[in-house]
């Protein structure tokens, strides 16, 4: 059964109100297969938690919400436990579940909204860790052949906020489960400076994975808006990778510009710094704007439209290109 003419506001963390012609949720692979078979003529978009999308217009087609649940240990040795999770599991709850079982590896990825199934889509990352560091394999349903396939690490072609599912195989697969390789012997990662400051403030010298998770949660809560209070989709743009010559030019005016070396000729620049320095941080236009504590996050205070937020992102993009000669790329999926 499909719901018709549904308002998607409760299904996206930006809180954008747009109608979808059709909407349905699936709880297992066979109901997904049936829905796809019965609706093959329609445009179809898969949705998890809706925390990385911006709807800019009425959706003419069928939105399918992934609600496949389940967690099981599929393999274990002295060093690792392999845990398979349904794609519709909530990501942060899965992180807490891993910590409660004393399995390490994803504690730095605490409090990222969304579903397990979307996590490899764009190789979610935060505080020095990316999904690719703990990924073992995933299962995905091929919309064209109706078959379930397994993808190993190299087949996913992970990159910075990238995978093959966002590129060559875009729109062809529905990820139905993900298997993670978690550590029994923990490897604490405090490479991200803010984590150390947080631990020091609490007087913690040898942190547990729970301590790391708590520190990450505290840092995130101090600068990122809670989607339950202010609509947003996290970082709206990616941090751009540019040639060193571009950095040198920016340094002439701003010697303090932060950057992260990538290779001999390239550096990554924090887009948040560029947008902040260009004067956008905290800017509010009617009911939407740029977050006051993190300039990389665009926010919907109330009833903004996706078109308005998209137009703001274009203004920022043009301004950053004009001021710094850097072309930003949107991280959020525009639908
Ligand atoms: P959705 O928004 O539902 O979908 C995202 C895309 O994936 C869409 O194109 C959708 O069609 C597709 N998709 C979703 N599920 C499937 C599936 N099962 N099979 C095939 N395609 C699918 N991201 C980070 O990497 N690091 C962060 O630190 C971070 N912080 C955030 C903080 C906030 C406050 C918010 C709101 C977002 C943040 N994000 C961050 C972005 C977001 O949480 C992640 O991208 C998350 O993985 C999205 O999951 P989702 O289930 O909500 O995906
Ligand atoms: N900065 C500013 N002003 C701002 C924001 C940032 O000057 O308004 C500067 C900071 O001072 C710092 C640098 O920019 O020097 C980086 O800032 P931050 O540590 O907040 O991280 P980020 O690069 O803005 C990235 C990810 C986040 C992730 C954090 C932590 C991207 C696009 N964003 O943000 O991911 O949580 O690092 O690892 O890579 C997301 O993808 O949605 C997301 C929130």
């Amino acid at each position: 059964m499909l719901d018709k003419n549904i308002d998607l506001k409760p299904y996206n963390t930006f809180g954008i109100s747009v109608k979808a012609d059709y909407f349905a949720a699936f709880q297992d692979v066979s109901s997904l297969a049936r829905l796809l078979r019965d609706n093959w003529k329609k445009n179809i978009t898969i949705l998890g938690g809706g925390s990385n999308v911006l709807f800019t217009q009425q959706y003419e087609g069928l939105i399918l919400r992934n609600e496949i649940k389940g967690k099981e240990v599929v393999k274990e040795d002295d060093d690792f436990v392999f845990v398979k999770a349904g794609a519709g599991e909530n990501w942060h709850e899965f992180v807490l579940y891993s910590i409660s079982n004393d399995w390490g590896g994803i504690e730095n990825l605490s409090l990222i909204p969304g579903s397990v199934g979307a996590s490899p889509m764009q190789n979610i990352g935060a505080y020095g860790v990316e999904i690719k560091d703990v990924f073992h394999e995933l299962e995905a349903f091929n919309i064209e052949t109706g078959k379930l396939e397994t993808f190993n690490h190299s087949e996913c072609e992970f990159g910075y906020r990238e995978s093959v599912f966002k590129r060559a195989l875009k729109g062809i697969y529905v990820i139905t489960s993900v298997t993670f390789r978690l550590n029994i012997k923990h490897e604490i990662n405090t490479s991200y400076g803010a984590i150390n400051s947080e631990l020091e403030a609490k007087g913690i010298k040898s942190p547990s994975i729970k301590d790391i998770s708590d520190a990450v949660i505290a840092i995130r809560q101090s600068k990122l808006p809670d989607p339950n209070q202010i609509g947003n989709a996290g970082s709206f743009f990616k941090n751009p990778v540019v040639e060193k010559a571009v950095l040198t030019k920016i340094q002439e005016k701003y010697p303090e510009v932060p950057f992260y070396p990538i290779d001999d000729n390239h550096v990554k620049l924090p887009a948040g710094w560029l947008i902040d320095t260009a004067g956008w941080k905290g800017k509010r236009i009617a009911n939407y704007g740029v977050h006051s504590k993190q300039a990389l996050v665009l926010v919907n205070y109330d009833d903004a439209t996706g078109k308005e937020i998209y137009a703001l992102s274009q203004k920022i993009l043009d301004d950053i290109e004009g001021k710094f000669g850097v072309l930003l790329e949107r991280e959020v999926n525009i639908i």
Side-chain angles (χ1 to χ4, degrees):
M1 263 295 284
L2 303 184
D3 289 325
K4 289 189 187 140
N5 208 24
I6 286 291
D7 187 351
L8 295 176
K9 190 169 171 129
Y11 301 109
N12 70 99
T13 62
F14 245 126
I16 302 292
S17 177
V18 285
K19 292 272 173 73
D21 290 351
Y22 303 97
F23 181 95
F26 56 95
Q27 288 80 25
D28 51 48
V29 176
S30 54
S31 50
L32 167 67
R34 200 171 47 247
L35 280 162
L36 290 171
R37 192 190 56 221
D38 294 350
N39 294 284
W40 62 274
K41 281 189 179 163
K42 298 185 176 76
N43 286 326
I44 289 182
T45 286
I46 307 297
L47 212 55
S51 63
N52 204 35
V53 290
L54 178 67
F55 288 105
T56 54
Q57 56 193 321
Q58 152 114 9
Y59 187 75
E60 291 176 358
L62 169 61
I63 298 281
L64 287 179
R65 188 162 196 266
N66 190 331
E67 293 179 359
I68 300 178
K69 300 279 195 242
K71 300 186 279 283
E72 62 171 318
V73 173
V74 289
K75 198 164 75 171
E76 196 168 353
D77 59 31
D78 288 347
D79 297 317
F80 301 109
V81 56
F82 293 77
V83 187
K84 180 176 176 179
E89 287 286 343
N90 174 274
W91 172 258
H92 180 60
E93 282 169 20
F94 181 67
V95 173
L96 296 181
Y97 160 82
S98 304
I99 293 170
S100 69
N101 280 289
D102 210 25
W103 301 326
I106 51 177
E107 56 279 3
N108 295 52
L109 301 176
S110 295
L111 211 62
I112 297 182
S115 60
V116 162
S119 67
M121 268 309 279
Q122 57 162 27
N123 183 26
I124 57 167
Y127 303 98
V129 174
E130 291 181 328
I131 278 296
K132 69 170 174 48
D133 304 327
V134 291
F135 178 90
H136 178 58
E137 64 182 25
L138 62 76
E139 283 177 326
F141 188 86
N142 185 321
I143 294 178
E144 291 174 355
T145 65
K147 298 225 161 61
L148 202 58
E149 298 174 27
T150 302
F151 286 76
N152 66 24
H153 199 291
S154 65
E155 286 164 338
C156 290
E157 297 177 17
F158 292 122
Y160 166 56
R161 298 293 191 277
E162 284 295 348
S163 76
V164 73
F165 302 104
K166 272 185 86 175
R167 292 183 173 267
L169 302 182
K170 191 174 160 75
I172 301 176
Y173 287 91
V174 182
I175 297 169
T176 55
S177 75
V178 186
T179 304
F180 300 95
R181 193 194 65 173
L182 302 175
N183 302 316
I184 292 171
K185 296 169 187 161
H186 303 157
E187 287 171 27
I188 299 296
N189 181 335
T190 58
S191 58
Y192 208 91
I195 297 185
N196 275 325
S197 324
E198 193 66 32
L199 293 171
E200 265 170 38
K202 284 186 175 166
I204 298 170
K205 292 211 169 62
S206 22
S208 64
I209 54 174
K210 172 80 167 58
D211 293 330
I212 298 289
S213 170
D214 289 345
V216 166
I217 289 172
I219 299 165
R220 295 183 68 96
Q221 285 175 336
S222 72
K223 52 182 167 184
L224 292 169
D226 176 354
N228 291 319
Q229 282 158 20
I230 304 176
N232 77 94
S235 302
F236 200 91
F237 302 97
K238 288 183 182 182
N239 285 331
V241 174
V242 300
E243 292 195 355
K244 266 190 173 164
V246 176
L247 170 69
T248 310
K249 186 95 187 47
I250 297 173
Q251 280 171 327
E252 284 170 14
K253 192 165 175 200
Y254 303 99
E256 75 283 8
V257 53
F259 65 92
Y260 320 105
I262 296 290
D263 58 36
D264 286 350
N265 296 316
H266 296 89
V267 294
K268 194 188 266 187
L269 297 174
W273 181 90
L274 296 170
I275 299 169
D276 187 353
T277 306
W280 287 96
K281 193 170 179 171
K283 192 155 260 191
R284 182 169 175 154
I285 307 123
N287 280 327
Y288 58 99
V290 180
H291 188 49
S292 58
K293 294 180 188 159
Q294 224 305 0
L296 200 43
V297 179
L298 303 190
V299 289
N300 171 16
Y301 291 106
D302 192 4
D303 55 359
T305 65
K307 275 199 173 67
E308 287 171 322
I309 289 173
Y310 185 84
L312 170 62
S313 74
Q314 189 60 48
K315 277 192 185 149
I316 294 173
L317 226 141
D318 293 343
D319 191 38
I320 299 305
E321 192 179 13
K323 287 192 169 121
F324 300 101
V326 175
L327 187 59
L328 295 181
E329 188 188 336
R330 292 180 184 86
E331 201 234 300
V332 170
N333 298 282
I334 311 296
I335 300 179

